[in-house]
Amino acid sequence: MSVNEVNPFQAEWSAKGHTMCLGFWQISFNDQELALPESVKVKDMGTFGNFSYLFEDDPDWEEGLREDEWIVDNIDWLSQCFIDNDIPVEEEFFRWFYQAVNVADWRCSSCGGCI
């Protein structure tokens, strides 16, 4: 994304604190809420990062797929989602989606609620 471009996607996981697993995705494109497939709406997105609340700086806790690999693995449902929500089916939009979701992504180890 260049300096002059702003990501049109906003992503947030609805649950906070120690109940991350009880949430769902709230993702918008240009301030319009997206209709997401049920298969992805209520689970983590599998993007790359360290999701440990205890070992945030330890690369041994990194998991998930980096941007290019994630887009390839998710292209089918993501393309259909873009079509259903009138979003251009173009590479830069896939990348923006990943980048927005990656910031808000989580894992079961993200909050420690199940410990």
Side-chain angles (χ1 to χ4, degrees):
M1 187 165 27
S2 76
V3 175
N4 294 328
E5 294 174 329
V6 176
N7 191 333
F9 291 96
Q10 296 293 318
E12 183 176 356
W13 184 252
S14 68
K16 305 291 183 242
H18 296 293
T19 57
M20 298 292 285
C21 58
L22 301 177
F24 57 91
W25 283 105
Q26 297 170 311
I27 302 175
S28 63
F29 174 73
N30 290 331
D31 297 323
Q32 295 295 323
E33 192 74 22
L34 297 186
L36 295 170
E38 286 300 316
S39 61
V40 299
K41 187 173 184 171
V42 295
K43 63 180 189 170
D44 69 78
M45 285 283 185
T47 63
F48 182 80
N50 179 328
F51 301 97
S52 171
Y53 74 101
L54 289 176
F55 306 105
E56 296 174 352
D57 297 327
D58 187 342
D60 288 341
W61 290 87
E62 292 175 344
E63 62 179 282
L65 301 177
R66 295 188 188 271
E67 189 170 310
D68 290 337
E69 188 178 6
W70 187 90
I71 291 169
V72 170
D73 276 13
N74 291 278
I75 196 73
D76 292 337
W77 75 260
L78 194 56
S79 294
Q80 188 58 56
C81 180
F82 280 21
I83 291 166
D84 294 345
N85 289 281
D86 296 320
I87 300 169
V89 182
E90 298 175 11
E91 180 181 353
E92 69 182 330
F93 289 87
F94 294 140
R95 293 189 181 284
W96 281 330
F97 184 93
Y98 176 93
Q99 293 161 10
V101 168
N102 184 242
V103 172
D105 211 356
W106 64 281
R107 297 296 188 280
C108 288
S109 63
S110 296
C111 67
C114 50
I115 292 178

